[in-house]
Amino acid sequence: MSGTERCETHVWASVGITARDGVVCRIWECEQCQVWTAEPFAPEREIAWDETWLSER
């Protein structure tokens, strides 16, 4: 498959997290072709760091 071709059914893999225009997003890449997408995190689901058990370590 060349760099410009797309597969018919994407197999998505999470490859990282970044901020885009001030919004935290998870980056997904297709394992079969070169397409990718950014999925914004839902701000209403965020938990403050101090409220997690990890903050106690």
Side-chain angles (χ1 to χ4, degrees):
M1 188 174 297
S2 73
T4 59
E5 292 181 53
R6 294 183 180 187
C7 57
E8 290 186 29
T9 56
H10 299 295
V11 178
W12 297 107
S14 174
V15 296
I17 297 173
T18 191
R20 298 179 73 202
D21 298 323
V23 177
V24 178
C25 299
R26 180 178 306 277
I27 304 300
W28 296 91
E29 286 186 351
C30 178
E31 294 181 342
Q32 301 179 125
C33 68
Q34 293 183 338
V35 301
W36 64 275
T37 189
E39 174 188 26
F41 277 87
E44 67 275 2
R45 298 195 62 195
E46 181 178 3
I47 298 173
W49 176 258
D50 292 341
E51 296 176 19
T52 69
W53 64 270
L54 291 168
S55 68
E56 299 171 7
R57 296 182 149 230

